[in-house]
Amino acid sequence: MTTARARRTPDEARRLILDAAASLLADAGVGAVQVRAVAARVGMTDAGVTHHFGNRENLLAELLRRGGRQVRAALRDVLDGWLERGADLLELVESLELLYRRGYGELAVALHAAGWRDPGGGMLDPVVDALHKLRPPGSPVDDTRHAVAALHQAMATEALYGSAFRRSAGLTDDQAEDPEAHVHWWTRQLQLSLGIG
């Protein structure tokens, strides 16, 4: 006796596949996002997953695009009212670190290393704009962009390399393993480099 597979619309199937891939990514990193593992989570065949995405690389690229949209939405949520709440810079940096820790930093690094480039741009423009409003009048916006790019780079690689990089600089034990002190350090560096009081 065979069990009938659930009939899904293509959009529903793609959404379920991406949900499963995102769950695997968050649970165990990029290496866990394999077509077979995604198919098993969704209850379809490997061929069903490849029918919708072509191959693993396309699935990962779409997962990154989806992650980018989620990061943009999460940034909007963080930034909405952020200035009115007193523009707590630590809140912003912690929010970015949390987003990347969910696996999207690792995914972005892996896809970039594989040669994939996002044709879009300016995902962090809202962060640049919000921080630039806090700077002294006449401050160069490019300095704000460089600071946000450096923060983006640091937060994206934190989950992958943060503790190893801290150990290589002589931080040990809890100092190396806990990103909280490093997040606080980045917050102070933003305040100093951007002249935010």
Side-chain angles (χ1 to χ4, degrees):
M1 179 179 200
T2 60
T3 57
R5 294 205 180 267
R7 301 287 293 168
R8 301 177 177 120
T9 67
D11 287 344
E12 181 185 9
R14 287 178 63 85
R15 182 186 55 75
L16 290 171
I17 291 167
L18 286 170
D19 287 349
S23 176
L24 286 164
L25 176 67
D27 291 347
V30 173
V33 184
Q34 300 293 328
V35 169
R36 181 162 300 200
V38 171
R41 284 220 176 170
V42 177
M44 64 173 50
T45 65
D46 297 4
V49 172
T50 56
H51 168 76
H52 290 285
F53 289 94
N55 57 37
R56 179 178 184 260
E57 289 72 29
N58 291 344
L59 174 60
L60 289 173
E62 184 56 35
L63 186 59
L64 183 61
R65 280 190 287 275
R66 181 190 203 203
R69 289 188 299 272
Q70 290 173 338
V71 167
R72 282 183 185 95
L75 286 174
R76 276 192 305 273
D77 289 346
V78 168
L79 293 172
D80 282 350
W82 180 66
L83 292 172
E84 289 81 18
R85 286 193 309 274
D88 180 358
L89 199 53
L90 179 59
E91 174 190 349
L92 179 64
V93 176
E94 286 176 334
S95 297
L96 285 173
E97 193 271 334
L98 177 62
L99 291 171
Y100 292 120
R101 191 173 356 123
R102 291 181 182 155
Y104 290 103
E106 182 183 356
L107 178 60
V109 169
L111 287 174
H112 191 82
W116 185 84
R117 300 295 180 268
D118 184 0
M123 178 175 77
L124 295 176
D125 280 349
V127 177
V128 170
D129 294 342
L131 287 177
H132 200 67
K133 288 176 184 172
L134 302 176
R135 298 193 67 201
S139 298
V141 72
D142 280 351
D143 286 352
T144 310
R145 291 187 190 289
H146 281 290
V148 170
L151 178 65
H152 174 58
Q153 181 178 358
M155 296 300 103
T157 59
E158 170 61 39
L160 284 174
Y161 312 117
S163 59
F165 285 0
R166 285 188 288 278
R167 277 194 299 278
S168 71
L171 295 169
T172 58
D173 302 326
D174 290 343
Q175 291 178 318
E177 297 304 320
D178 184 8
E180 185 177 348
H182 207 65
V183 166
H184 284 261
W185 182 88
W186 267 105
T187 302
R188 287 191 306 277
Q189 298 317 302
L190 276 179
Q191 288 172 320
L192 291 171
S193 68
L194 298 178
I196 298 172

